Structures are given as C-alpha cells and as structure tokens.
Amino acid sequence: MSMPSHAQARGSGPRRPALADRGARTGGTLDPARIAKYATAVRVLPVMPPGEPVPGIDNYTIGVRQFRQQILPPGLPSTLVWGYGSTFDATTFHSPGFTIEARAGRPVRVTWVNQLVDGDGHFLPHLLPVDQTLHWANPAGGVSGRDSCPMFTTTPGAYTGPVPVVAHLHGAHCSEENDGYPSAWYLPAARDLPAGYATVGSFYDRHRAQAADRLAVNWLPGTAVCQYPNDQPASTLWYHDHTLGMTRVNVHAGLAGYYLIRGGDWDLPPGTLPEPAPRHGGLPDTRHHEIALVVQDRSFNRDGSIFFPTGRGFFGDTPPDATFIPVSDVPPIWNPESFGNTMVVNGRTWPVLAVEPRRYRFRFLNACNARTLILKIAHNPLAARPARSALPFWQIGSDGGFLRAPVQLAQLLCAPAERADVIVDFTGLTVGTELYLINEGPDMAFNGAADATPADPATTGQVMKFVVTPLTSPDTSVPPAHLTLPAPRPATASDHTWKISLNEMRSRSYPQAPATAMLGTVHADGTANPLRWGAPVTETPVVNATQTWEIANFTADAHPIHIHQVQFQITNRQPFGGSPRPPESWETGLKDTVIAYPNEFTRFTARFDIPGRYVLHCHILDHEDNEMMRPIQAVLPRPSAAQTT
C-alpha cells in the first residue's frame, strides 16, 4: 500500500473522538466485572538464576517460550502467554520475566534464545494478530523483502508464520550489537521453517560479526549473545522485545522484565533504603521491603486468552464496511492505540500486597502498550475522582538513577516505559488498614489536560491493594525526607540541536482515522517534515559531544519519547509561542524516556560516547510499530585540519 499518497500531517487540530464517543470497546469476551479483585497475592518477582560461570562476567542463558500462567484469579481459566526464563530451569519462565540483578562495573552476558517452538520442534504462530501491511520484520519476504513494508493487491490476513524476536535492554549503555536493534531479529531454530523465509533480520549478521570480533562469541541459529557493561549509575532498567513492527504484540504477549543495576559510586550504602529485595538463592519465606512492580493493562476472553484487536474496525474510526487495500491507506489490523480493561501487576490481575507498618521501596514500571498511569494511594478505590491521597509517595529515582533530592508527591505520573523509584511509609498505620493503589490516568490517549476523564473507577481505575499486617522486625532505613541522594553530574554545554517533529498522518480515505504516526525533522520555517522509518538517517550525533534534542509535538496527544544508548537530562518544555518551564521535580535525574506534550517543545541534552546505529522512538508501542521510530547514527568527530596534515 502507498500511505504517503493518501495521508496528510495533522497538526494541533481537534482530538480524535474519545472511546465512548466512537462506540469502541476495550476488551474481549470476559467482562472485567466478573474478575474478582484482590483475590490473589502480588507475585514478588524472583531473581533470574545465572547460567554457567564465565570469569569476570555474570552469565545468563535466557529463552523465550510459550506456556500457561494463572493471571486471572483462581477459578477462572489460565492464560497462554510468552515469557522469559532460564533455559536451565523451566520453572523460571514467567510473564513478566524474573529480575536480572546486575552490579555496577561488572558485565552481564546474556544468550537470548528464541524457543517459540512446540514439543516436536515445530514453530509456534503468534498468539496475537500481526498486521503484515506495516513496515515490519516480514520473514516471509525472504532476504530481499525482510524488514520492509510489503505491497499487496488485496487485504491480507494476519501473519501465521514463525515469530521473530530480539531483546532490547531499555536504558542500557552499550554498543550497537548489544542494543537489540529492531532489524536484528531472528527466528527460532525450528525444524519446519518455511522455504524462502528470511531467518534473521537485515542487521543480524552485522551484529553477529561484531560480537564475534569483540567478545569471541558465536551466535548459533535462533540466538543472540549480548553483553552489557553496566558502566552507568545504579538504576532501574527493563528488558523487552523490540522486533520491527511487532513490538506491541510481542510485549503484549508477555515479553518484558526488570533489570536492576546496584552498587558503584552512584548508589546508596546498604541499609539506607528499605530492604531486602529478592536475591538469587534467598529464603522462600523472606519478607521483602523492596519490591519491583510491573503494571500493565490487558483484556481477556472467557477462555482466559489475551484479547487483542483483530481488525481496525475495533477502534471505531472506520466504518463497519470499511475497505482497505487497495483503495485505502489505513492498515487493516493495526489500531492507533490499544487499551485493556483489566489491570495486571507482576502477572496477576488486581492483586493484594501485605505490608508491615514500615517503609517500603517500590520500583514502578509502566509496561502498558499505550496507557499513561496517574497512580495514587487512596482509602476508597471507588472514591470520586480526583480522590484524596491517603499516603504520599517519596520519589527518589526515575529511569536512569537517583533524583537530585527526594520529592514528596500525592501522585505518580508514569507514561509507558517510564520508571518511578519510590518510598512509601506505612509506619504508624493500624494493623488491618486497607489502602488501594488507584489510577487516575485516562482510558484513552493521554494529552496532559487537567480535565481529562479519569479511568473507570470500577476497573482500570484500580490497580492493587495494600493490607497492613503486624510488624515483624524493626525498620532501620533512613526516612526519605532525610536522604541525601547521589545526584547526577550537571550536563555540559550543548554544541548542536537536533530538531525532531512528532506527527500523526490522517487518512484521506477515512478522515477521522490515523493512517500512521511519524517522527521527522523540522523545516527552517518551523513546520514539520514527517519521515518514515526507511528514510535515510537524518540525526548523526557526534560521539563525546553534548547535544540538545528538541522535540516539537505537532499532534494532539502526549508521546513518551525514548532514545537508545544514552541517559539524558531534561532541559525544559516550552509551549509553541510561549515561555520555557523547567522539568518537573520528579524529572531531575537521568532519564531515557520523556513525555512530550502536545503543541510544545520538549528539550533534553544527551552525550553519545559509542559510535553506531541506534533508534529514537515513541514508546506507545502501537505508534513505534507504525513508523513513529527513526534510526540515528552516532558518529566519530571529524579530524581537524591539523590532524589531517
């Protein structure tokens, strides 16, 4: 299909109709009202067990498999999911994956294995519908047609072939072959791969050669070996699939997990913060006071399966009798954003956590496809919104490490892919007290408006429950107001500004329907220049130079923008035609994902120090899968005239 000839850039015009206005639904055949809340305890995610020892390195072999998991409460069916786990221990496979614990300055090496095959070695098809009309991995296109936007004369159905994967460690400082580039995917080493299919993406062989040269490792079929140096501050990273045009469905099927870096000069001494966290080989009855929480939204069918839209008609912006290829520029399956009607924490719906009257450290990750969370602790989960805060959060860190100082907040704003490292102090609460983590973010695309309708209090407006139990040991952690945090070094002066535009391209066939979302550049006159993923590289940051990235959002929605290889520092935001304002109090640390609001510039400074090919993209997964992603090439500085003579 030929989207450019049928699409036009949308600026700051009227928003798309709300979900309720356009009659779309957000779920499958299982009514969320039938799912009992707070019937299951929170799963405290264990630590991923290491593999065979390698001198000086923490070594792992982590597979991707299909299995059943009890996500819904007991009495309802289990759910077929994908997840990560140690290939040496089948009991470790879980969605989300177990936590990889890393030490600052000590490398971690992971052999990532695509094990999406059945017991006979035959490939497994995708659990969710894959739109073949996007610019995507496209194994069926063969070597010449892989990583492309295929041309069709009629509307194709969903892809049913072997599934490509590639793991990205989100927030990691690493060289390109270890970064999980979207075109470095690989199929499983199945016995029945169809003839003519490409088995690897267009960047796989290049990265395999680099790994062989730098690490003396061999990538066997169906695998990639990545090494992460962990030469960055103590931080809250996460790993997830990043396959071109398929990230939304691969992550939604279950492919995500935490990766925590501890120690080094930019961490706090042991005993300062609430602990312990889970440890490999720890006692099974340990009471943990540091807990990582992965928050997701999902919808389910009555048989327990994950629901995901099978066609564009679900979104409600095309007519029921809509036609697609060859007369329309609208993708037939892809939806502009996907929202679930059920909240899931650490792989369980609406769970409950027993807490003692003491301080806890929670690391929150928003792993939703498109939903922005506004989290608050309340006495009553059904209270009128905005609800009164029952307990504050003390935020001490974000994506790339600690903030400059602890910040007391009544609520946490957390867009997809953002992390919030917080302390919640339950000290002094009466045993038996019940509190609720609620969500006041909208059930639709977030735009930052203060008057946006919050999530449904009966479903997506609730996340999890806390119940206070007796204190079993004294709390010796430092009260958050008294903490001195290892603040990041101030950014050095910037020597160049990269101007990036955020654009939504409306269909000419169905004017209410977005055909695609795009990044791009900005013309000299300040107007947008939308670009597709396949356009030539336009951003070439110079290695070891601090440079500014200025994001101009010409759409009606807020977008969480993520850049690979670097953690950056937010400079300011500025409404078009207005005055700049500083970053929020909870954004003073290092970040790798930032919310870019509509009709505003968002600026941050970053310093690339490793040459190579990386990406910049929106982390609304539905957007990045349909063109809202661009390659960037970090380049070595040009030699001076004196050096060339």
Side-chain angles (χ1 to χ4, degrees):
M1 62 187 169
S2 179
M3 288 187 185
S5 64
H6 294 287
Q8 58 186 6
R10 189 186 71 180
S12 55
R15 286 182 51 76
R16 296 193 303 273
L19 282 171
D21 295 339
R22 61 174 181 258
R25 300 190 305 162
T26 59
T29 56
L30 179 59
D31 182 351
R34 295 185 54 214
I35 304 173
K37 293 184 179 67
Y38 316 123
T40 311
V42 169
R43 174 85 191 267
V44 177
L45 296 172
V47 170
M48 186 73 73
E52 298 178 354
V54 174
I57 294 173
D58 291 335
N59 186 46
Y60 297 83
T61 302
I62 298 176
V64 172
R65 293 182 186 174
Q66 179 172 292
F67 51 91
R68 303 200 72 86
Q69 181 172 312
Q70 193 65 46
I71 297 176
L72 297 164
L76 291 174
S78 62
T79 301
L80 195 63
V81 298
W82 292 349
Y84 295 102
S86 170
T87 59
F88 301 108
D89 185 352
T91 66
T92 63
F93 281 83
H94 189 264
S95 175
F98 287 8
T99 301
I100 299 175
E101 285 274 347
R103 301 296 302 179
R106 182 177 173 86
V108 163
R109 180 179 295 176
V110 181
T111 300
W112 300 99
V113 188
N114 186 343
Q115 296 184 306
L116 292 175
V117 295
D118 65 17
D120 295 321
H122 300 126
F123 73 81
L124 292 168
H126 212 292
L127 295 177
L128 307 176
V130 177
D131 194 324
Q132 300 186 79
T133 70
L134 306 181
H135 193 142
W136 72 295
N138 191 29
V143 172
S144 62
R146 61 186 172 176
D147 299 321
S148 68
C149 186
M151 302 298 291
F152 294 94
T153 57
T154 58
T155 302
Y159 173 71
T160 58
V163 176
V165 301
V166 60
H168 167 56
L169 179 52
H170 183 117
H173 176 253
C174 61
S175 53
E176 66 174 11
E177 74 274 16
N178 302 300
D179 185 56
Y181 192 73
S183 299
W185 53 265
Y186 46 98
L187 298 182
R191 60 190 301 179
D192 61 339
L193 294 179
Y197 273 49
T199 60
V200 298
S202 53
F203 270 70
Y204 181 91
D205 288 336
R206 164 176 162 173
H207 291 171
R208 179 176 60 183
Q210 290 171 327
D213 181 56
R214 296 175 183 175
L215 301 177
V217 295
N218 182 29
W219 292 14
L220 299 175
T223 74
V225 184
C226 299
Q227 187 158 306
Y228 311 107
N230 301 315
D231 54 351
Q232 58 193 102
S235 50
T236 306
L237 311 184
W238 64 299
Y239 59 95
H240 63 81
D241 186 80
H242 210 306
T243 304
L244 182 64
M246 295 180 64
T247 301
R248 72 196 184 289
V249 285
N250 286 2
V251 172
H252 208 81
L255 299 184
Y258 262 114
Y259 183 110
L260 305 179
I261 302 177
R262 301 184 188 272
D265 296 337
W266 303 97
D267 204 354
L268 292 172
T272 306
L273 299 177
E275 53 186 44
R279 292 287 187 269
H280 176 58
L283 297 175
D285 59 349
T286 299
R287 292 175 179 253
H288 299 107
H289 307 126
E290 180 195 322
I291 301 173
L293 298 170
V294 180
V295 182
Q296 299 166 301
D297 59 343
R298 296 289 183 267
S299 295
F300 298 90
N301 294 308
R302 292 190 187 96
D303 63 0
S305 62
I306 297 172
F307 169 84
F308 203 74
T310 58
R312 182 55 178 266
F314 175 81
F315 197 71
D317 59 357
T318 58
D321 59 348
T323 53
F324 297 100
I325 297 172
V327 299
S328 168
D329 54 345
V330 177
I333 295 176
W334 174 83
N335 280 227
E337 292 99 22
S338 53
F339 297 89
N341 57 24
T342 304
M343 301 306 291
V344 179
V345 179
N346 288 4
R348 292 178 178 173
T349 56
W350 289 303
V352 60
L353 178 66
V355 295
E356 299 177 26
R358 61 185 301 150
R359 287 178 285 276
Y360 281 76
R361 181 184 187 184
F362 297 123
R363 299 185 190 242
F364 286 104
L365 161 65
N366 180 344
C368 301
N369 276 40
R371 180 183 297 276
T372 293
L373 302 168
I374 300 177
L375 301 175
K376 185 181 290 184
I377 297 175
H379 288 290
N380 178 3
L382 297 174
R385 294 345 191 211
R388 184 174 68 86
S389 170
L391 275 183
F393 301 99
W394 283 89
Q395 187 163 349
I396 59 173
S398 58
D399 307 339
F402 290 106
L403 305 182
R404 297 191 181 281
V407 182
Q408 186 176 7
L409 301 168
Q411 62 186 29
L412 295 176
L413 173 62
C414 198
E418 286 192 301
R419 286 86 73 204
D421 189 351
V422 305
I423 294 173
V424 176
D425 193 347
F426 298 96
T427 302
L429 294 184
T430 303
V431 172
T433 298
E434 297 181 348
L435 297 171
Y436 298 85
L437 183 69
I438 64 171
N439 167 43
E440 294 184 348
D443 282 328
M444 60 181 295
F446 177 71
N447 69 351
D451 60 350
T453 302
D456 181 359
T459 56
T460 50
Q462 299 184 48
V463 180
M464 60 181 287
K465 179 181 179 179
F466 303 102
V467 176
V468 179
T469 59
L471 185 69
T472 60
S473 61
D475 185 355
T476 58
S477 66
V478 176
H482 299 158
L483 287 171
T484 300
L485 303 178
R489 297 185 181 95
T492 57
S494 171
D495 67 1
H496 182 80
T497 297
W498 299 101
K499 297 187 176 184
I500 308 297
S501 62
L502 306 184
N503 315 278
E504 186 175 274
M505 314 303 291
R506 280 196 298 197
S507 166
R508 291 192 183 276
S509 307
Y510 304 110
Q512 289 297 315
T516 186
M518 289 192 197
L519 294 177
T521 58
V522 178
H523 292 300
D525 64 358
T527 58
N529 177 37
L531 295 171
R532 291 181 170 274
W533 165 251
V537 174
T538 50
E539 284 69 50
T540 54
V542 176
V543 167
N544 293 324
T546 298
Q547 300 186 329
T548 297
W549 296 75
E550 180 182 273
I551 313 297
N553 186 351
F554 294 103
T555 80
D557 299 330
H559 298 267
I561 300 301
H562 172 50
I563 192 168
H564 288 212
Q565 197 210 112
V566 296
Q567 295 284 345
F568 53 76
Q569 296 187 48
I570 301 172
T571 306
N572 58 47
R573 293 182 177 89
Q574 182 177 1
F576 296 165
S579 300
R581 67 182 186 276
E584 303 290 351
S585 59
W586 58 88
E587 297 178 317
T588 61
L590 296 174
K591 294 279 291 173
D592 54 48
T593 307
V594 61
I595 300 176
Y597 292 102
N599 304 311
E600 286 192 0
F601 299 106
T602 300
R603 301 184 182 96
F604 58 86
T605 55
R607 180 178 175 271
F608 284 81
D609 61 359
I610 306 173
R613 181 66 64 92
Y614 297 91
V615 292
L616 170 75
H617 62 87
C618 175
H619 222 285
I620 293 175
L621 301 184
D622 310 285
H623 292 183
E624 77 168 87
D625 272 353
N626 190 8
E627 303 293 345
M628 209 168 204
M629 180 166 64
R630 289 283 295 142
I632 57 178
Q633 184 73 37
V635 299
L636 294 170
R638 294 180 180 178
S640 65
Q643 292 172 314
T644 58
T645 58

